[in-house]
Amino acid sequence: MSLNTSDPYFRESNDNYVPQVDSQLRHILRVPKEAYAASGIIVNGRRIKTLIFTTDIAIIRNCDADAVFAVYPFTPQLAISEALIHAAYIPVFCGVGGGTTKGIRTISLAKDVESQGAMGVVLNAPISDLNLAAISMAIDIPVIITVVDENTDIEKRLKSGASIINVAAAQRTPEVVAKIRKAFPRIPIIASSGNLPETISRTIEAGANAITFTPPSAKELFSGMMEKYRGGKQPDCE
């Protein structure tokens, strides 16, 4: 490990300066700095501003996000959640269904990932209020409910036990966040923001407390590295 003396502020007096210590070999995938304008959500004493939206363990182990948003397009499996929670050194929020997977199975999955050490569970938008309420009564970690448009009855979701709203409305996410924030000034909102600084800023300005960041794929990361190899340059990562 070494102190980053190349930082232009290293020799300047600045009360807001945060010292940075970096590994000589480890390459860190960094969330865009615009994300740190978010207020964050304090979950059991830990402030969460950024969540990396991936199940790639290599990326999870080499990023500077505050938490992992482990939601994937397959039936939730405990072997996957166990591997992610065990490998990550940051909190993990695990998807436990709500669409194809529902009913008693979602309750069982939620209880299991809680016992594995998940910081919270994420439910898909189609889940019923009854199923949502049953899950919230069965576990003692936050229940995050996904919202895909402005037609969702947010008040009913909150009364059914949702702790945090997760807005995933594609390009319309900032607009949906703004509408929810106007009606509910103090509820915790996570929102998807892609990976572009401008979309992150728009999402935060609309009222999101925390953002989910979509990292580049392994293919994209390898592409840049291989270009440097072909040019005879030493890449930033192995």
Side-chain angles (χ1 to χ4, degrees), residues 72-81 94-98 100-101 105-106 109 113 122 124:
Y72 48 91
F74 304 101
T75 299
Q77 299 174 46
L78 293 180
I80 295 175
S81 59
C94 292
V96 293
T100 303
T101 306
R105 187 175 181 86
T106 55
L109 284 165
V113 299
V122 185
N124 293 333

Side-chain angles (χ1 to χ4, degrees), residues 41 53 67 90 101 107-108 137 143 159 169 191 197 218 231:
I41 300 169
F53 181 25
I90 53 178
T101 306
I107 300 171
S108 177
M137 288 188 289
V143 177
K159 287 181 177 178

Side-chain angles (χ1 to χ4, degrees), residues 117-226:
M119 178 167 268
V121 299
V122 185
L123 294 167
N124 293 333
I127 195 165
S128 69
D129 291 318
L130 182 61
N131 202 171
L132 170 59
I135 292 169
S136 67
M137 288 188 289
I139 61 176
D140 189 42
I141 54 178
V143 177
I144 302 171
I145 184 67
T146 302
V147 170
V148 296
D149 59 48
E150 59 272 79
N151 298 318
T152 303
D153 189 337
I154 301 297
E155 185 170 2
K156 201 166 185 181
R157 289 306 210 188
L158 295 172
K159 287 181 177 178
S160 297
S163 308
I164 301 170
I165 302 298
N166 169 49
V167 180
Q171 291 83 359
R172 296 196 64 254
T173 293
E175 288 80 4
V176 176
V177 168
K179 183 173 181 179
I180 295 172
R181 177 58 70 213
K182 184 177 180 180
F184 300 91
R186 292 188 174 275
I187 65 169
I189 299 176
I190 297 172
S192 57
S193 63
N195 56 17
L196 298 176
E198 54 267 31
T199 58
I200 291 172
S201 294
R202 282 185 61 215
T203 305
I204 293 170
E205 289 167 6
N209 302 108
I211 61 100
T212 55
F213 166 73
T214 305
S217 67
K219 178 182 177 181
E220 292 170 314
L221 293 170
F222 259 120
S223 177
M225 185 182 74
M226 294 305 293

Side-chain angles (χ1 to χ4, degrees), residues 27-32 51-60 62-65 194-197 200 212-225 237:
H27 171 68
I28 299 297
L29 178 64
R30 302 193 184 278
V31 175
L51 301 97
I52 194 156
F53 181 25
T54 185
T55 52
D56 187 317
I57 289 177
I59 288 177
I60 289 170
N62 293 279
C63 75
D64 68 349
N195 56 17
L196 298 176
I200 291 172
T212 55
F213 166 73
T214 305
S217 67
K219 178 182 177 181
E220 292 170 314
L221 293 170
F222 259 120
S223 177
M225 185 182 74
C237 57

Side-chain angles (χ1 to χ4, degrees), residues 25 221-238:
L25 299 176
L221 293 170
F222 259 120
S223 177
M225 185 182 74
M226 294 305 293
E227 284 299 318
K228 290 185 178 181
Y229 275 140
R230 295 184 188 105
K233 297 179 181 179
Q234 182 66 31
D236 295 327
C237 57
E238 288 299 324

Side-chain angles (χ1 to χ4, degrees), residues 8-18:
Y9 296 105
F10 181 72
R11 298 184 184 278
E12 295 182 14
S13 176
N14 186 336
D15 291 340
N16 295 319
Y17 173 69
V18 180

